[in-house]
Amino acid sequence: LGLSRMAFMNDKIQEVTDQRWAKVQLSLEALRYSSLNSRITMQIFLMQDRGSIEPLLEQRAKNTEAISGLLKKIEAYPNSDEEKRLIANVAAKRLPYVAGYKSALTLLLNEGQPEAGRKMMTDVVTPNLISYHKAWEEFVAHEGLCMDQAGDAADTYYVTAHHQMVTLLLLVLGLACGVAIFVTRATTSEIKNRLQAEEGLRQAHAL
């Protein structure tokens, strides 16, 4: 019973840890892609050659698509209500950020208004980017907190299971000793009675 409880605890904690750690890794990867996109956007606004800008735009689009895929993977995991709220917050903060930098790029590349595009990047896109990254960081922090709580629960569960195992072992040891004493006394009594009977038979045979 004790070993089965310990195995159950290990499996449960491993399952929780694996799921949450996987979501943390996906979140950090999404943040990495987002940071790359921020640097690419900065490069685009500093460059003049349209031929050099096009590959950067393609890479930025691929990174954006990768972020969307990572977000879907996170949503596919079993999530608590708080996790769903945090994920929804990430998605909500992402929308104005993406729309903002697309508008800024349109001003820069299509409408020939680089100054307006840069101003929009400074006044609109950058604050949205900060809020967007903050939403990701809040989700990662929540997952880390849950992992810590799972570890604390595992410690408590381990101590309880350990005490139960010790109690069960002592109980089994006591029962084993009781059975041993009972059997030993019964066997000793049986041997004594047999010896007495044999002695009586010998005396009867002698008479």
Side-chain angles (χ1 to χ4, degrees), residues 107-119:
L107 291 172
L108 174 70
L109 302 175
N110 300 332
E111 299 181 7
Q113 302 181 46
E115 291 302 323
R118 293 189 181 96
K119 179 173 176 56

Side-chain angles (χ1 to χ4, degrees), residues 50-69:
R50 185 62 182 259
S52 301
I53 291 175
E54 289 298 331
L56 294 176
L57 290 174
E58 292 178 4
Q59 184 60 51
R60 198 183 203 297
K62 289 180 181 179
N63 291 344
T64 300
E65 185 178 353
I67 293 171
S68 298

